Amino acid sequence: MTRFAMNGKVYLVGAGPGDPELITVKGIKLLKEAQVVVYDRLISPELLKYVNPSAELYYAGKAPGRHSLNQEEINELLIQKAREGKMVVRLKGGDPFVFGRGGEEALALTRAGIPFEVVPGVTSAVAVPAYAGIPVTHRRIASTFTVVTGNETENKEEREVDWEKIARVGGTIVILMGLSNLPFIKGELLKYLPATTPVAVIYRGTTPSQKIVTGTLEDIVEKVLAAGIKHPAVIVVGDVVKLQGELGWYSPSALTE
Ligand code: SAH
């Protein structure tokens, strides 16, 4: 097939939270058609089986000890491949516009004159609690949920997360990227919420290695340390966590990979 020299297109595709079956139908269709795929660390490796063997595959994640691209380089790569006239899929964990810098990539593309489309994904902010048996809302328990980044430390000069406001909303708080900062977050929330407020920390939710630790604002840090929970994890704060015992439906150990 001959192609005219013209701009390609970039699809920012949500890969879902981990379980490879939680990608959208549209996402799979585009993965199969892509000539270039640029993927992140948190996506299920199983999704790469849909990629055409002749497609160019680039890893853009940040894994310790492995060369990874910085954000500038990722933007450049997407622009360059689209300028070669290629159909590019940028495969991102969860939903492309929920953290993970999808908005920045879209801006870089549009400013470079590259057409793009966004294919929303199932975000870990909702799906990871769901697989742990925690509904983020419940008619009598929580009528809001707030999704917040936990990666701002006490040392950050201009803090954008106002924990007081978030605590005062009164519903469920879902914290992404917060595990290593949990002691600080706990300290902030304890200023405004009771020590008995239920908390769940879910590691690698929706995958066979899913682990759940539940506790309270008071004891969650110790419990997480004792359980050896690592990144990536979603932290859920609020009374909906109490439903986990009754609603925990997913048993990863029963699955064989
Ligand atoms: N765009 C993504 C979020 C990117 S930020 C989305 O919509 O899901 C990365 C954070 O997502 C991690 O630090 C962790 O808090 C959370 N995360 C993503 N996948 C996860 C998983 N399978 N289990 C637990 N946390 C996960």
Side-chain angles (χ1 to χ4, degrees), residues 135-144 170-172 238-243:
V136 290
T137 69
H138 181 282
R139 195 158 54 89
R140 287 194 198 83
I141 304 173
S143 53
T144 67
T172 306
D239 284 336
V240 286
V241 169
K242 287 188 196 151
L243 298 171

Side-chain angles (χ1 to χ4, degrees), residues 115-168:
F116 72 92
E117 278 186 36
V118 181
V119 181
V122 174
T123 180
S124 64
V126 174
V128 167
Y131 267 52
I134 303 171
V136 290
T137 69
H138 181 282
R139 195 158 54 89
R140 287 194 198 83
I141 304 173
S143 53
T144 67
F145 65 99
T146 307
V147 181
V148 58
T149 171
N151 76 0
E152 291 193 356
T153 63
E154 50 205 319
N155 304 323
K156 190 171 169 188
E157 284 187 2
E158 278 180 47
R159 277 203 254 150
E160 278 159 29
V161 176
D162 182 335
W163 288 103
E164 175 170 8
K165 280 196 184 130
I166 285 165
R168 301 251 189 251

Side-chain angles (χ1 to χ4, degrees), residues 171-190:
T172 306
I173 305 171
V174 180
I175 304 160
L176 303 192
M177 302 179 285
L179 189 70
S180 54
N181 212 13
L182 188 56
F184 168 71
I185 295 166
K186 163 196 161 168
E188 288 297 297
L189 290 178
L190 273 177

Side-chain angles (χ1 to χ4, degrees), residues 17 19 23 50 76 89 104 107 146 179-180 192 198 202 207 210:
D19 179 341
I23 190 172
Y50 295 111
E76 266 318 301
V89 163
E104 289 171 52
L107 276 175
T146 307
L179 189 70
S180 54
Y192 316 105
I202 307 137
T207 78
Q210 171 173 303

